[in-house]
Coordinates of all heavy atoms in Angstrom, one line a residue:
Q2 N 39.4 -2.3 18.8 CA 39.1 -1.0 18.2 C 40.2 0.0 18.6 O 40.5 0.1 19.8 CB 37.7 -0.5 18.6 CG 36.6 -1.4 18.1 CD 35.2 -0.8 18.4 OE1 35.0 -0.1 19.4 NE2 34.3 -1.1 17.5
L3 N 40.7 0.7 17.6 CA 41.7 1.7 17.8 C 41.2 3.1 17.4 O 40.7 3.3 16.3 CB 43.0 1.4 17.0 CG 43.5 0.0 17.3 CD1 44.7 -0.3 16.3 CD2 44.1 -0.2 18.7
V4 N 41.3 4.0 18.3 CA 40.9 5.4 18.1 C 42.1 6.3 18.1 O 42.7 6.5 19.1 CB 39.8 5.8 19.1 CG1 39.4 7.3 18.8 CG2 38.6 4.9 19.1
V5 N 42.3 7.0 17.0 CA 43.4 7.9 16.8 C 43.0 9.3 17.0 O 41.9 9.7 16.6 CB 44.0 7.7 15.4 CG1 45.2 8.6 15.2 CG2 44.4 6.2 15.2
A6 N 43.9 10.1 17.7 CA 43.7 11.5 17.9 C 45.0 12.2 17.8 O 46.1 11.7 18.0 CB 43.0 11.7 19.2
G7 N 44.9 13.5 17.5 CA 46.1 14.4 17.6 C 46.6 15.0 16.3 O 47.6 15.7 16.4
G8 N 46.1 14.6 15.2 CA 46.6 15.2 14.0 C 46.3 16.7 13.8 O 45.6 17.3 14.7
G9 N 46.8 17.3 12.8 CA 46.5 18.7 12.6 C 47.5 19.4 11.6 O 48.2 18.7 11.0
L10 N 47.4 20.7 11.7 CA 48.3 21.5 10.8 C 49.4 22.1 11.7 O 49.1 22.7 12.8 CB 47.5 22.6 10.1 CG 48.2 23.6 9.3 CD1 48.9 23.0 8.1 CD2 47.3 24.8 8.9
V11 N 50.6 22.0 11.3 CA 51.7 22.5 12.0 C 52.8 23.1 11.1 O 52.9 22.6 9.9 CB 52.3 21.4 12.9 CG1 52.9 20.3 12.1 CG2 53.3 22.0 13.9
Q12 N 53.5 24.1 11.5 CA 54.5 24.6 10.7 C 55.8 23.8 10.7 O 56.0 23.0 11.7 CB 54.8 26.1 11.1 CG 53.7 27.0 10.9 CD 54.1 28.5 11.1 OE1 55.0 28.8 12.0 NE2 53.5 29.4 10.4
V13 N 56.6 24.0 9.7 CA 57.9 23.3 9.7 C 58.7 23.5 11.0 O 58.8 24.7 11.5 CB 58.7 23.8 8.5 CG1 60.2 23.3 8.6 CG2 58.1 23.3 7.2
G14 N 59.2 22.5 11.5 CA 60.0 22.6 12.8 C 59.2 22.4 14.0 O 59.7 22.3 15.1
G15 N 57.9 22.3 13.8 CA 57.0 22.2 15.0 C 56.8 20.8 15.4 O 57.5 19.8 14.9
S16 N 55.9 20.6 16.4 CA 55.7 19.3 17.0 C 54.2 18.9 17.1 O 53.4 19.8 17.2 CB 56.3 19.2 18.4 OG 57.7 19.4 18.4
L17 N 54.0 17.7 17.1 CA 52.6 17.1 17.3 C 52.8 15.8 18.0 O 53.8 15.1 17.9 CB 51.9 16.9 16.0 CG 51.2 18.0 15.2 CD1 50.7 17.5 13.9 CD2 50.1 18.7 16.1
R18 N 51.7 15.5 18.8 CA 51.7 14.2 19.4 C 50.4 13.5 19.0 O 49.3 14.0 19.3 CB 51.8 14.2 20.9 CG 52.0 12.9 21.6 CD 52.2 12.9 23.1 NE 50.9 13.1 23.8 CZ 50.8 12.7 25.1 NH1 51.7 12.1 25.7 NH2 49.6 12.9 25.7
L19 N 50.6 12.3 18.4 CA 49.4 11.5 18.1 C 49.2 10.5 19.2 O 50.2 10.0 19.9 CB 49.7 10.7 16.8 CG 50.0 11.6 15.6 CD1 50.2 10.7 14.4 CD2 49.0 12.7 15.3
S20 N 47.9 10.1 19.4 CA 47.6 9.1 20.4 C 46.7 8.1 19.8 O 45.9 8.4 18.8 CB 47.0 9.7 21.7 OG 45.7 10.3 21.4
C21 N 46.7 6.9 20.3 CA 45.9 5.8 19.8 C 45.4 5.0 21.0 O 46.2 4.3 21.6 CB 46.7 4.9 18.8 SG 45.9 3.4 18.2
A22 N 44.1 5.1 21.2 CA 43.6 4.4 22.4 C 42.9 3.1 21.9 O 42.1 3.1 21.0 CB 42.5 5.3 23.1
A23 N 43.2 2.0 22.6 CA 42.7 0.7 22.3 C 41.5 0.3 23.2 O 41.6 0.6 24.4 CB 43.8 -0.3 22.3
S24 N 40.6 -0.4 22.7 CA 39.4 -0.8 23.5 C 39.7 -2.1 24.3 O 39.0 -2.5 25.2 CB 38.2 -1.1 22.6 OG 38.5 -2.1 21.6
E25 N 40.8 -2.8 23.8 CA 41.1 -4.1 24.4 C 41.8 -4.0 25.7 O 42.9 -3.4 25.8 CB 42.0 -4.8 23.4 CG 42.4 -6.2 23.8 CD 41.2 -7.1 24.1 OE1 40.3 -7.2 23.2 OE2 41.2 -7.8 25.1
P26 N 41.3 -4.7 26.8 CA 41.9 -4.6 28.1 C 43.3 -5.3 28.1 O 44.1 -5.1 29.0 CB 40.9 -5.2 29.0 CG 40.0 -6.0 28.1 CD 40.0 -5.3 26.8
T27 N 43.5 -6.2 27.2 CA 44.8 -6.9 27.1 C 45.7 -6.2 26.1 O 46.5 -6.8 25.5 CB 44.6 -8.4 26.7 OG1 43.9 -8.4 25.4 CG2 43.8 -9.1 27.7
F28 N 45.6 -4.9 26.1 CA 46.5 -4.1 25.2 C 47.9 -4.4 25.4 O 48.7 -4.3 24.4 CB 46.2 -2.6 25.6 CG 47.1 -1.6 24.9 CD1 46.9 -1.2 23.6 CD2 48.1 -1.0 25.6 CE1 47.7 -0.3 22.9 CE2 48.9 -0.1 25.0 CZ 48.7 0.3 23.6
N29 N 48.3 -4.7 26.6 CA 49.8 -5.0 26.8 C 50.3 -6.2 26.2 O 51.5 -6.5 26.3 CB 50.0 -5.0 28.3 CG 49.3 -6.1 29.1 OD1 48.5 -6.8 28.5 ND2 49.6 -6.3 30.3
T30 N 49.5 -6.9 25.4 CA 49.9 -8.1 24.7 C 50.1 -7.8 23.2 O 50.5 -8.7 22.4 CB 49.0 -9.3 24.9 OG1 47.7 -9.0 24.2 CG2 48.7 -9.6 26.4
Y31 N 49.8 -6.6 22.8 CA 49.8 -6.3 21.4 C 51.0 -5.4 21.0 O 51.2 -4.4 21.6 CB 48.5 -5.5 21.0 CG 47.2 -6.3 21.1 CD1 46.6 -6.5 22.3 CD2 46.7 -6.8 19.9 CE1 45.4 -7.2 22.4 CE2 45.5 -7.6 20.0 CZ 44.9 -7.8 21.2 OH 43.8 -8.5 21.3
T32 N 51.7 -5.8 20.0 CA 52.7 -4.9 19.4 C 52.0 -3.9 18.6 O 51.1 -4.2 17.9 CB 53.7 -5.7 18.6 OG1 54.5 -6.5 19.4 CG2 54.6 -4.8 17.8
M33 N 52.4 -2.6 18.8 CA 51.7 -1.5 18.2 C 52.6 -0.8 17.1 O 53.8 -0.8 17.3 CB 51.2 -0.5 19.2 CG 50.4 -1.0 20.3 SD 48.8 -1.7 19.7 CE 48.0 -0.1 19.1
G34 N 51.9 -0.2 16.1 CA 52.7 0.5 15.1 C 52.0 1.7 14.6 O 50.8 1.8 14.7
W35 N 52.8 2.6 14.1 CA 52.3 3.8 13.4 C 52.7 3.7 11.9 O 53.9 3.4 11.6 CB 52.8 5.1 14.0 CG 52.2 5.4 15.3 CD1 52.7 5.2 16.5 CD2 50.9 6.1 15.5 NE1 51.9 5.6 17.5 CE2 50.8 6.2 16.9 CE3 50.0 6.6 14.7 CZ2 49.7 6.8 17.5 CZ3 48.8 7.2 15.3 CH2 48.7 7.3 16.7
F36 N 51.8 3.9 11.0 CA 52.1 3.9 9.6 C 51.6 5.3 9.0 O 50.8 6.0 9.7 CB 51.3 2.8 8.9 CG 51.8 1.4 9.1 CD1 51.6 0.8 10.3 CD2 52.5 0.7 8.1 CE1 52.1 -0.5 10.6 CE2 53.0 -0.6 8.4 CZ 52.8 -1.1 9.6
R37 N 52.1 5.6 7.8 CA 51.6 6.8 7.2 C 51.5 6.7 5.7 O 52.2 5.8 5.1 CB 52.5 8.0 7.6 CG 53.9 8.0 6.9 CD 54.7 9.1 7.4 NE 56.0 9.1 6.8 CZ 57.0 10.0 7.2 NH1 56.8 10.9 8.1 NH2 58.2 9.9 6.5
Q38 N 50.6 7.4 5.1 CA 50.4 7.4 3.7 C 50.3 8.8 3.2 O 49.4 9.6 3.5 CB 49.2 6.6 3.3 CG 49.0 6.4 1.8 CD 48.0 5.4 1.4 OE1 47.1 5.1 2.2 NE2 48.1 4.8 0.3
A39 N 51.3 9.2 2.4 CA 51.3 10.5 1.8 C 50.5 10.5 0.4 O 50.4 9.4 -0.1 CB 52.7 11.0 1.5
P40 N 50.1 11.6 0.0 CA 49.3 11.6 -1.3 C 50.1 11.0 -2.4 O 51.3 11.3 -2.6 CB 49.1 13.1 -1.6 CG 49.1 13.7 -0.2 CD 50.1 12.9 0.6
G41 N 49.5 10.1 -3.1 CA 50.2 9.4 -4.3 C 51.2 8.4 -3.9 O 51.9 7.9 -4.8
K42 N 51.4 8.1 -2.7 CA 52.4 7.1 -2.2 C 51.7 5.9 -1.5 O 50.6 6.0 -1.0 CB 53.4 7.8 -1.4 CG 54.2 8.8 -2.1 CD 55.4 9.3 -1.2 CE 56.2 10.3 -1.9 NZ 57.4 10.8 -1.1
E43 N 52.5 4.9 -1.4 CA 52.0 3.7 -0.6 C 52.1 4.0 0.9 O 53.0 4.8 1.3 CB 52.8 2.5 -1.0 CG 52.6 2.0 -2.4 CD 53.2 0.7 -2.7 OE1 54.0 0.2 -1.9 OE2 53.0 0.2 -3.8
R44 N 51.3 3.3 1.6 CA 51.4 3.4 3.1 C 52.8 2.8 3.5 O 53.2 1.7 3.0 CB 50.3 2.7 3.7 CG 50.2 2.9 5.2 CD 48.7 2.8 5.7 NE 48.2 1.5 5.5 CZ 46.9 1.2 5.8 NH1 46.1 2.1 6.4 NH2 46.4 0.0 5.5
E45 N 53.4 3.4 4.5 CA 54.7 3.0 4.9 C 54.8 2.9 6.4 O 54.1 3.7 7.1 CB 55.8 3.9 4.4 CG 55.7 5.4 4.9 CD 56.8 6.3 4.4 OE1 57.6 5.8 3.6 OE2 56.8 7.4 4.8

């Protein structure tokens, strides 16, 4: 199970940090990735 946090509204030039916490104790064996999907576009 992956729980994501940290999104929000920010102005151009600003910063945000997203986090993703895993329930699995063997987390260190998983390659992790971030994807995004903009309106009307495919997830990338």
Side-chain angles (χ1 to χ4, degrees):
Q2 292 186 331
L3 304 173
V4 178
V5 178
L10 175 65
V11 65
Q12 291 188 331
V13 168
S16 298
L17 279 175
R18 188 176 80 156
L19 306 182
S20 65
C21 173
S24 61
E25 178 58 48
T27 57
F28 172 78
N29 62 351
T30 67
Y31 294 80
T32 292
M33 302 298 295
W35 288 97
F36 288 73
R37 68 185 182 186
Q38 187 168 21
K42 295 187 177 181
E43 294 186 351
R44 190 155 56 183
E45 61 179 6

